[in-house]
Amino acid sequence: ALWCLRMSLTPTRGCLLDLPWEDILLPHILCHLPLQQLLSLQRVSKSFQSLIQLYLANMRCFDSSQIRPAIPRAAFVNLLKDNKVLQQLALQNCSDWLTDCELLPVIEQNRHLHQIQLKGCVQLSRHALVTISLSCPNLRQLSLAQCDWVDSLALRSLADHCKALEAVDLTACRQLKDEAICYLVQKCSRLKSLSLAVNANVGDVAVEETAKCCPELEHLDLTGCLRVKNDSIRVLAEYCPKLRSLKVKHCHNVAESSLSVLRSRGVELDVEPPLQRALVLLQDVVGFAPFINLQI
């Protein structure tokens, strides 16, 4: 930002604003500056204000976490009011004020969105997810973690209209049950990453259907899914040859007998083998790693 200012205020070297805006400044210079600094540049002059407004209208990626302190409601609406080409939208620090009123117009005018991050946006409603499903046919990644407002009907709408989905985070979406998850995976068979963590309503039925419908699955998070048992983990091992990581911490009904097959294939698990866990616990108690003759 300081370099830009120096260029614009130094007559002997010409003015930065004399360069072609859409061919040079937007794609090759402004895109490398943090969003917070770009917003500050608007105060330099009316010309800079026009330049930044043009940049915002053509911005492909918007991440609210780049703006410190948290972006105000009015500022968010103003920043994106003219943008119709967004591809990535991340709203991670807007939970205190973001409602359907602010979000829906942005979604409706940006049909090219393929990544949306709404983690912890608790003041939205199911209408937000329905709008996303109807407006974003090319959506590939969606995070709805900690969004209790997500219900089965809204998820069905998503599954019906966004069949190109590859990654969905439904962590702590506690309204969802096996039936809703089954419908999602049946319609969205390209899924590579799925989180159903912290949902006591999710059990073996959802996991088995996920395994059978999503052969491309690479990452599955079942942390805290207390109803998941060994049988569904065995089905997962059978039907998902590309699985790379599985999280089953706090799944008390999942034992090593079902995890061993995945472990032998090199799948990353968030629970240690029983012997290794025992050694760690013993080391913590006695203060040193015991010597064990494994040849006995």
Side-chain angles (χ1 to χ4, degrees):
L2 293 176
W3 177 83
C4 292
L5 291 175
R6 283 198 298 268
M7 285 287 292
S8 64
L9 299 175
T10 306
T12 58
R13 300 184 63 180
C15 180
L16 176 70
L17 297 175
D18 290 338
L19 294 173
W21 287 16
E22 295 188 15
D23 294 332
I24 301 296
L25 293 183
L26 298 187
H28 298 294
I29 296 180
L30 296 190
C31 64
H32 297 292
L33 294 177
L35 184 57
Q36 184 72 55
Q37 292 187 9
L38 289 174
L39 298 181
S40 298
L41 279 176
Q42 290 187 104
R43 298 192 291 267
V44 174
S45 67
K46 290 184 178 180
S47 295
F48 266 109
Q49 184 179 19
S50 299
L51 173 63
I52 301 306
Q53 288 177 346
L54 180 62
Y55 174 83
L56 294 173
N58 288 275
M59 186 168 48
R60 299 295 197 274
C61 177
F62 180 83
D63 186 347
S64 62
S65 65
Q66 294 182 6
I67 302 176
R68 301 293 181 184
I71 180 174
R73 184 197 310 258
F76 171 77
V77 173
N78 185 60
L79 289 177
L80 296 181
K81 61 182 176 64
D82 297 323
N83 193 304
K84 298 180 181 180
V85 295
L86 272 181
Q87 296 179 2
Q88 301 176 37
L89 178 64
L91 302 174
Q92 300 165 322
N93 60 342
C94 306
S95 58
D96 292 340
W97 58 264
L98 184 68
T99 68
D100 293 356
C101 183
E102 293 79 33
L103 179 64
L104 266 55
V106 175
I107 297 296
E108 290 170 343
Q109 68 188 27
N110 283 282
R111 301 185 62 84
H112 300 290
L113 279 165
H114 58 76
Q115 293 183 27
I116 300 178
Q117 164 67 265
L118 297 175
K119 179 180 179 181
C121 293
V122 296
Q123 296 194 50
L124 299 175
S125 76
R126 60 183 305 274
H127 299 295
L129 187 53
V130 172
T131 301
I132 289 173
S133 65
L134 296 176
S135 303
C136 307
N138 300 315
L139 191 65
R140 295 200 302 270
Q141 298 181 26
L142 176 63
S143 175
L144 299 169
Q146 302 168 17
C147 294
D148 277 335
W149 46 266
V150 177
D151 60 17
S152 59
L153 289 177
L155 195 68
R156 279 175 170 264
S157 178
L158 179 73
D160 285 335
H161 297 93
C162 299
K163 298 180 181 179
L165 279 167
E166 297 179 356
V168 180
D169 188 347
L170 299 173
T171 298
C173 293
R174 297 182 178 89
Q175 289 196 55
L176 300 178
K177 299 181 180 180
D178 283 348
E179 183 182 2
I181 303 303
C182 289
Y183 193 88
L184 174 70
V185 298
Q186 289 166 3
K187 296 287 186 176
C188 302
S189 58
R190 300 181 189 178
L191 280 176
K192 296 181 180 180
S193 178
L194 177 64
S195 176
L196 305 173
V198 199
N199 192 332
N201 294 318
V202 170
D204 285 344
V205 173
V207 176
E208 290 180 13
E209 194 67 14
T210 299
K212 294 175 182 178
C213 295
C214 303
E216 302 296 316
L217 193 66
E218 297 179 2
H219 307 282
L220 180 61
D221 190 346
L222 301 173
T223 303
C225 294
L226 303 179
R227 294 176 56 232
V228 173
K229 302 181 179 66
N230 285 323
D231 289 344
S232 62
I233 301 302
R234 294 190 181 99
V235 174
L236 194 67
E238 179 181 356
Y239 283 88
C240 297
K242 297 184 179 181
L243 193 67
R244 295 168 52 193
S245 70
L246 173 65
K247 295 183 179 181
V248 289
K249 200 169 185 178
H250 305 305
C251 295
H252 304 304
N253 295 313
V254 174
E256 184 63 23
S257 58
S258 62
L259 295 174
S260 58
V261 176
L262 293 171
R263 202 183 298 278
S264 66
R265 281 171 26 191
V267 175
E268 180 183 345
L269 303 173
D270 63 342
V271 293
E272 299 172 337
L275 177 58
Q276 187 172 348
R277 285 204 301 269
L279 290 175
V280 171
L281 290 173
L282 185 57
Q283 182 177 0
D284 290 341
V285 172
V286 301
F288 64 90
F291 173 79
I292 297 179
N293 187 351
L294 298 179
Q295 295 180 345
I296 296 177

